[in-house]
Amino acid sequence: MRRQQSYRFEDNESTSYALRMNRRFSRVESGADLKDYFDRGDIASRENRWNFEVAWEVANKVGGIYTVIRSKAYVSTEEMGEQLCMMGPYKEHCARTEMEEMEFPRGNPLLDAVNSLRSRGYKIHTGRWLVDGNPQLILFDIGSAAWKLDQFKSEMWEKCHIGIPHLDIETNDAIILGFMIAEFLEEFRNFAVTYSQNNELSAPRIVAHFHEWQAGVGLIVLRTRLVEIATVFTTHATLLGRYLCAGNTDFYNNLDKFAVDEEAGKRQIYHRYCLERGATHLAHVFTTVSDITGYEAEHLLKRKPDIITPNGLNVKKFSAIHEFQNLHAVAKEKINEFVRGHFYGHIDFDLDKTLYFFIAGRYEFGNKGADIFIEALARLNAMLKHEKPDTTVVAFLIFPTKTNNFNVDSLRGHAVIKQLRDTINNVQQAVGKRMFDTCLQGNIPNADDLLQKDDLVKIKRCMFAMQRDSMPPVTTHNVADDWNDPVLSSIRRCHLFNSRHDRVKMVFHPEFLTSTNPLFGIDYEEFVRGCHLGVFPSYYEPWGYTPAECTVMGIPSVTTNLSGFGCFMEEHISDPKSYGIYIVDRRYIGLENSVQQLSSFMMEFSRLNRRQRIIQRNRTERLSDLLDWRTLGIYYRQARVKALQAVYPDYVDELSLYGSKNNLIFSRPHSEPPSPTSSRHTTPAPSVHGSDDEDSVDEETELKELGIK
């Protein structure tokens, strides 16, 4: 795949500050960032421009696209205001907590279109999404139009020659939703034209943005019915690509060799593939979330994306640099509590010299890179035994799968530790009282008088209860089919059994983390903050929200050049490793070399002292602006503008005439250290004094240690 030339972070004293802060993200020239367009829809209203965003995951938590739509809602409403409306299926179990139902105001063409469809017997729910930004919502009850399914399928066959199997319920639902949305948009356009003529407004310009193949049915219907609406289609991962990768194929080296129709037919998804490919080719503008997914779409869907629209996050910056470091220390102590309980009787390692690595996501063992992670951990174990025997790594694997309940040994460990802590606290209070009373009497406390025989007996009982003959379990739950489970099978093969001599300890947690979890007692976000390194060596990852979430929380991560996030960072940072982004090559080298590279990255991270890790976390957190929707949302706007200009050739983006023509510019603090040049060490400079206190490093100290004025 051709790589795009881009401006990178440079450390060049002769370059002006403005040029040094220049960032170029994708193929399209852009204004400063999306904040330039935040007017709550004022300009869109004057231009009579409307934006509809359609996805199966609108107010319906199913997968990763829900995170994309939800997190982007705030910047979308700040830009479009009441000219934006999101549409999806009505799922009562989600809508009850996600949506505040209300009607549109009278005279609004949205209300007229809704009432028109209700008169046809369709059930439609309107209101606002209870997320940041509170965008307008229209949710369609699929069941209310199920009686027209045969009619919809007939039209799809007559116009597109796509047949839908009767028993494919998911596709049937997508067909119903697509036709309901297309009919709504057609009605809305008619009412908007009438409204504009009656109020002497310019003709309405409408753009509809569809996400993934389920929503893409509506796009196909709009285009085949010749409705004058600009359309954008975004694929977050191709349907066929997911199936091919799940089959352990050499995917990227054979992309240009796949017989796509035959492969889709073999997997009984040919009709879905046709819907996705149809939406791709009928859209006025086609986008993907990353260059690597664009390369995939070019070969599997036979169309190159017009624009790359990377996924962002709602980044909430802290007012002081040390705040997120403090959160890391607090969360790490909670993980320490879990480790004390899980490894009771085998705590022969220093928790202050223990590093927490983790991998998390859907349980796709190969696609998510869990296979090479475990293999690399086995090699890291051998290297640590030889080079740094006082350093311990605890590796967490968070993959939800079917279980039979908690592991009794793991629960017992936490009970034993709690009993020991309660006993020590009681003895501590008793000793303190005796010391106080002895001093009141004018006597110097004697150690034998303070710690009495009864106290020693209680402590000994607790310590004897902590003894165990078995090794600590590698899993916190009883996995349903543990002998065939891929993670447990791989752990057995690599002999990572949490023995006393192992410097890498394994914890497989087959359940999502929540604050009500009796073992951890923290949610996923807090867990991420408490870890030292996220490891995501994915083979198939169109974007990769997990390493992105690590980055905005200031946690270094490992990714690959086959993930959208990894390609994005590799393109826009001259030395990603110095910013805590380790990129494993899984594309141009063999599997064995990738495993070696991953293990060397983890070993390199394990060599860092505490001060170096703090400096690296500070640098990682500074990259959060790169992933903010205020920055990346500009590409969604550009996709809409391009689609509008395809349908309305006379349309000119008003702000582009007066806005900046430069690439994206980020205003960072002047004290921010730039990326090290090739002549400087890739890891942060070692401490010049002996303090390793996590709270002792501030920004000025960091700059001084890095030799930056």
Side-chain angles (χ1 to χ4, degrees), residues 241-262:
R242 285 195 184 279
Y243 277 84
L244 288 171
C245 279
N248 295 320
T249 57
D250 187 3
F251 182 64
Y252 290 99
N253 289 327
N254 292 291
L255 261 179
D256 57 343
K257 301 179 184 67
F258 288 120
V260 289
D261 293 319
E262 181 184 344

Side-chain angles (χ1 to χ4, degrees), residues 293-538:
T293 311
Y295 178 62
E296 176 188 336
E298 184 180 350
H299 287 90
L300 299 185
L301 299 177
K302 308 303 180 184
R303 179 177 177 180
K304 286 183 67 173
D306 301 295
I307 294 176
I308 302 298
T309 50
N311 290 334
L313 288 161
N314 258 339
V315 177
K316 294 178 180 174
K317 302 287 284 185
F318 295 104
S319 57
I321 194 71
H322 64 270
E323 288 185 42
F324 82 93
Q325 296 281 10
N326 292 344
L327 289 173
H328 165 75
V330 171
K332 186 179 74 173
E333 182 53 37
K334 293 184 178 181
I335 299 176
N336 285 346
E337 281 297 296
F338 166 82
V339 169
R340 291 186 184 105
H342 189 80
F343 293 94
Y344 80 96
H346 288 262
I347 304 288
D348 55 348
F349 50 91
D350 186 352
L351 287 178
D352 286 334
K353 294 182 179 179
T354 299
L355 302 176
Y356 297 138
F357 295 177
F358 81 99
I359 183 173
R362 289 188 305 274
Y363 199 2
E364 298 175 8
F365 183 68
N367 284 352
K368 294 297 181 184
D371 50 352
I372 76 165
F373 179 44
I374 296 171
E375 180 64 38
L377 285 172
R379 301 183 188 195
L380 176 66
N381 189 34
M383 287 189 279
L384 286 174
K385 286 179 182 178
H386 174 71
E387 186 178 332
K388 287 180 73 70
D390 59 337
T391 298
T392 303
V393 169
V394 178
F396 295 94
L397 296 94
I398 315 293
F399 291 121
T401 189
K402 191 176 292 185
T403 63
N404 294 324
N405 216 325
F406 290 100
N407 187 313
V408 174
D409 202 20
S410 189
L411 288 172
R412 181 175 181 273
H414 288 81
V416 167
I417 293 301
K418 183 179 184 301
Q419 183 185 16
L420 175 63
R421 178 179 290 103
D422 292 344
T423 301
I424 294 295
N425 287 339
N426 292 336
V427 169
Q428 188 178 356
Q429 289 177 3
V431 168
K433 185 176 185 303
R434 292 184 200 119
M435 185 182 294
F436 179 74
D437 291 341
T438 302
C439 292
L440 274 180
Q441 296 168 8
N443 300 322
I444 300 296
N446 186 301
D448 294 334
D449 296 333
L450 294 178
L451 191 62
Q452 296 180 349
K453 190 174 181 180
D454 286 348
D455 298 330
L456 286 172
V457 169
K458 291 177 183 177
I459 293 172
K460 285 179 180 179
R461 281 179 177 171
C462 290
M463 292 187 68
F464 290 150
M466 287 176 57
Q467 294 177 355
R468 69 198 300 183
D469 298 325
S470 61
M471 290 183 290
V474 296
T475 178
T476 58
H477 291 62
N478 298 319
V479 178
D481 188 14
D482 67 339
W483 193 250
N484 295 312
D485 183 83
V487 164
L488 294 178
S489 298
S490 190
I491 289 173
R492 292 186 196 105
R493 181 177 57 80
C494 294
H495 297 280
L496 293 171
F497 296 127
N498 294 341
S499 71
R500 285 185 178 273
H501 305 293
D502 285 331
R503 298 282 37 94
V504 172
K505 314 289 186 181
M506 304 295 292
V507 179
F508 176 32
H509 187 68
E511 191 178 76
F512 282 124
L513 288 172
T514 63
S515 56
T516 57
N517 188 305
L519 298 179
F520 284 89
I522 56 177
D523 58 21
Y524 176 73
E525 181 178 336
E526 195 172 7
F527 172 79
V528 172
R529 285 195 184 278
C531 288
H532 296 94
L533 183 70
V535 185
F536 313 102
S538 305

Side-chain angles (χ1 to χ4, degrees), residues 154-169:
S154 177
E155 181 177 337
M156 186 63 70
W157 174 255
E158 289 170 4
K159 293 188 175 181
C160 305
H161 294 287
I162 299 175
I164 310 299
H166 178 68
L167 296 177
D168 189 345
I169 296 173

Side-chain angles (χ1 to χ4, degrees), residues 5 35 88 120 138 274 341 395 402 457 492 651 658:
Q5 185 178 1
K35 292 197 294 292
R120 302 179 191 180
I138 302 177
C274 289
K402 191 176 292 185
V457 169
R492 292 186 196 105
Y651 174 70
Y658 308 102

Side-chain angles (χ1 to χ4, degrees), residues 153 164-172 271-272:
K153 285 185 176 182
I164 310 299
H166 178 68
L167 296 177
D168 189 345
I169 296 173
E170 186 178 358
T171 308
N172 287 340
H271 54 290
R272 297 186 182 190

